[in-house]
Amino acid sequence: MKRRGVIAQQFESLRSWAILLAVALPWYLIEYDRRGDAFLAGFFMRHNVERFLSPLQGHGGGPLYYLPAVLALLLPYTGLFLRSLPGLRSLRHPRAAPLDTFLWCWFLFVFAFFSLAGTKLPHYLLYGATPLFILMAEIMQ
């Protein structure tokens, strides 16, 4: 029998969904109660969907926008990041460390997602900085 991954198990876990809803749902309900349909139109449509589909407030950029942004974001640890890049090749190895695989996938998802988005701001990469710092800490050991 093939073993399912930890992430796949969490997506199927009712307990995980209950925790997610217990943390997030109250805020969404309170905001909807206070602002009604304006909350849905503003938060979901304007600040999520529209920002992804087209640049808002002149914050556009090309597909390579985040390459220099990630190097600047990681200062003064950019050198450690560059030293960690060969770790990407090891992900193709069947015995790649599961944590490293998860951390690289986390960062690469954030990097690719925001690279595809119409609105580009440097701080969007902060969502992917945590796994990079963990990867860089592994190099220092």
Side-chain angles (χ1 to χ4, degrees), residues 55-81:
L56 289 185
Q57 302 164 332
H59 296 289
L64 302 178
Y65 177 89
Y66 287 113
L67 284 178
V70 73
L71 298 175
L73 172 74
L74 296 174
L75 283 172
Y77 305 105
T78 305
L80 278 175
F81 170 67

Side-chain angles (χ1 to χ4, degrees), residues 94-114:
R95 290 187 304 216
L99 177 61
D100 289 356
T101 301
F102 172 71
L103 294 171
W104 276 115
C105 288
W106 176 358
F107 168 72
L108 291 172
F109 174 81
V110 170
F111 188 85
F113 181 83
F114 288 111

Side-chain angles (χ1 to χ4, degrees), residues 33-60:
D33 185 53
R34 295 170 87 194
R35 293 182 176 78
D37 288 340
F39 168 67
L40 297 177
F43 180 73
F44 285 107
M45 297 309 293
R46 176 137 177 91
H47 292 291
N48 285 281
V49 175
E50 286 182 34
R51 278 187 189 278
F52 187 83
L53 295 177
S54 63
L56 289 185
Q57 302 164 332
H59 296 289

Side-chain angles (χ1 to χ4, degrees), residues 116-128:
L116 294 172
T119 302
K120 292 184 172 49
L121 291 165
H123 68 273
Y124 288 174
L125 280 183
L126 287 174
Y127 300 112

Side-chain angles (χ1 to χ4, degrees), residues 78-100:
T78 305
L80 278 175
F81 170 67
L82 296 174
R83 283 182 44 204
S84 73
L85 288 176
L88 279 169
R89 281 185 295 219
S90 68
L91 298 181
R92 298 169 76 191
H93 193 276
R95 290 187 304 216
L99 177 61
D100 289 356

